[in-house]
Amino acid sequence: MRFKTHVDGDICESIAAEHFIRKGYLVFITTQATSPIDMVVVNGAGVRLLQIKKDSGRVNPGRKKNTRIHRVRSALQKKLGVEMIYVDIETRGVFVSDHDYHAKRAKPRG
């Protein structure tokens, strides 16, 4: 019997593959279960390396609103430029993480 988390991961990868195919990408899926990259997508603009995660959230202490649980990329994933993709199984929504979010928010000192 397979773990539910593994089944959910497979479903998320399938939803993400469909999402990128519909956007005109060629989609290549890894054959290794423990890879820093789940999917490679290619179009005329270039190549994107993707790590697919099931979208999940929690309410942080002192807050009322549910927020996404962001996964941290490994040093290798950062070096390769791997993007984190979050998939909501219920809505089939696909969210691409903005890894430069905090850098864009930083105010210049001076």
Side-chain angles (χ1 to χ4, degrees), residues 30-96:
T30 185
T31 58
Q32 298 173 323
T34 56
S35 170
I37 301 166
D38 289 329
M39 189 177 297
V40 177
V41 296
V42 180
N43 69 4
V47 177
R48 294 172 69 182
L49 308 176
L50 311 176
Q51 181 71 28
I52 314 298
K53 296 293 183 188
K54 179 181 176 187
D55 197 10
S56 56
R58 67 172 161 238
V59 177
N60 288 325
R63 306 249 175 140
K64 296 179 182 176
K65 186 177 176 186
N66 195 31
T67 59
R68 175 174 287 114
I69 298 173
H70 287 274
R71 305 294 191 251
V72 177
R73 294 181 297 165
S74 69
L76 178 58
Q77 287 174 321
K78 289 177 186 177
K79 182 178 178 181
L80 295 173
V82 176
E83 299 174 68
M84 287 292 198
I85 307 295
Y86 298 95
V87 177
D88 185 324
I89 290 180
E90 301 301 320
T91 66
R92 300 180 65 84
V94 176
F95 173 79
V96 179

Side-chain angles (χ1 to χ4, degrees), residues 5-6 9 14-15 22-23 26-27 34 55 78-80 88 92 95 104 106 110:
T5 55
H6 295 165
S14 297
I15 292 169
R22 288 184 184 275
K23 290 194 168 283
L26 297 171
V27 174
T34 56
D55 197 10
K78 289 177 186 177
K79 182 178 178 181
L80 295 173
D88 185 324
R92 300 180 65 84
F95 173 79
K104 291 176 193 170

